[in-house]
Amino acid sequence: EAQVTQNPRYLITVTGKKLTVTCSQNMNHEYMSWYRQDPGLGLRQIYYSMNVEVTDKGDVPEGYKVSRKEKRNFPLILESPSPNQTSLYFCASSSFQGGYEQYFGPGTRLTVT
Amino acid sequence: SQQGEEDPQALSIQEGENATMNCSYKTSINNLQWYRQNSGRGLVHLILIRSNEREKHSGRLRVTLDTSKKSSSLLITASRAADTASYFCATTNSGNTPLVFGKGTRLSVIA
């Protein structure tokens, strides 16, 4: 089944404790992206990647890091989480062949206390 | 960055009625897409319309695009309670630029 998976789905952590949210897709998509969703602000892009070893900042990259060492994986790293990073996070992927229709993961709800 | 803006922010209708949502954007686009999100879950792609297309249908969905007005509309006909969700438009420029989402329209269909 074609899908994007994220782990963990829920996470409660404390300020400053490094964490990684994993994202994996099985569709051989070139493009992957991370978004955060906050009430009243819609989806905002954090980082995106056009292909392996190619990443770029989105609209709200501060406090986040990403890497794209393999085509299928695109982890999101919070080196020192803060309460303002409490949010719902989505990973998405798409193929450039398909007109950029994006496939979304189920989301990761992160709470930083 | 360019951004689609949906209108209205919220819409409440009775089951069986039609629902229309609008999206406006600021710069030229390569294509425009509509997505649905059930509460707290991942977005699901509904339909894509290219800049050289004016109308597209998919089941009970009808999307129009007016590039001269930089706007699009999504019509859901004969709505059902299961259509209750948030709907987002998203645009991308020419070339391999990222998709940019609006803030969404929250649709409630009352049985």
Side-chain angles (χ1 to χ4, degrees), chain A residues 2 21 99:
Chain A
V21 184

Side-chain angles (χ1 to χ4, degrees), chain B residues 5-103:
Chain B
E5 290 189 11
E6 294 89 346
D7 171 62
Q9 289 187 329
L11 179 61
S12 184
I13 60 173
Q14 297 288 326
E15 203 167 32
E17 293 180 338
N18 295 343
T20 299
M21 288 158 269
N22 302 297
C23 170
S24 59
Y25 56 91
K26 294 175 182 159
T27 61
S28 63
I29 60 169
N30 178 275
N31 67 59
L32 185 145
Q33 304 179 36
W34 286 91
Y35 288 79
R36 182 187 73 230
Q37 183 184 30
N38 291 94
S39 182
R41 304 186 70 174
L43 279 73
V44 174
H45 181 265
L46 294 176
I47 198 165
L48 180 153
I49 186 165
R50 301 188 190 283
S51 59
N52 61 354
E53 297 175 313
R54 291 296 166 258
E55 187 171 314
K56 210 161 182 180
H57 296 256
S58 177
R60 292 184 296 113
L61 306 180
R62 173 179 168 250
V63 169
T64 61
L65 179 64
D66 187 336
T67 53
S68 67
K69 295 181 179 177
K70 293 187 171 56
S71 67
S72 173
S73 67
L74 170 66
L75 169 67
I76 304 174
T77 60
S79 62
R80 306 166 181 167
D83 295 327
T84 294
S86 292
Y87 291 82
F88 295 85
C89 69
T91 57
T92 184
N93 281 336
S94 302
N96 297 338
T97 52
L99 213 54
V100 180
F101 286 83
K103 295 181 181 178

Side-chain angles (χ1 to χ4, degrees), chain A residues 1-103:
Chain A
E1 180 192 352
Q3 60 182 350
V4 178
T5 57
Q6 293 179 230
N7 282 293
R9 294 289 314 281
Y10 302 91
L11 180 60
I12 300 174
T13 189
V14 296
T15 299
K17 186 176 181 182
K18 181 179 178 179
L19 66 92
T20 299
V21 184
T22 64
C23 172
S24 184
Q25 50 93 5
N26 62 0
M27 295 167 279
N28 201 36
H29 284 168
E30 300 87 2
Y31 181 89
M32 297 186 75
S33 180
W34 276 102
Y35 298 89
R36 61 177 289 174
Q37 186 176 32
D38 302 287
L41 296 177
L43 276 91
R44 294 179 292 168
Q45 190 176 54
I46 303 171
Y47 269 95
Y48 64 95
S49 170
M50 296 285 194
N51 215 323
V52 176
E53 302 292 0
V54 180
T55 63
D56 217 337
K57 296 178 180 178
D59 294 323
V60 287
E62 293 78 21
Y64 305 94
K65 285 175 59 177
V66 293
S67 68
R68 187 90 181 273
K69 293 183 169 51
E70 303 166 285
K71 198 171 187 179
R72 63 183 293 126
N73 296 323
F74 190 46
L76 179 70
I77 303 157
L78 284 72
E79 294 268 359
S80 182
S82 62
N84 64 12
Q85 292 178 299
T86 292
S87 188
L88 180 57
Y89 291 86
F90 291 102
C91 179
S93 72
S94 68
S95 168
F96 293 136
Q97 310 304 317
Y100 320 121
E101 168 192 338
Q102 293 207 13
Y103 292 78

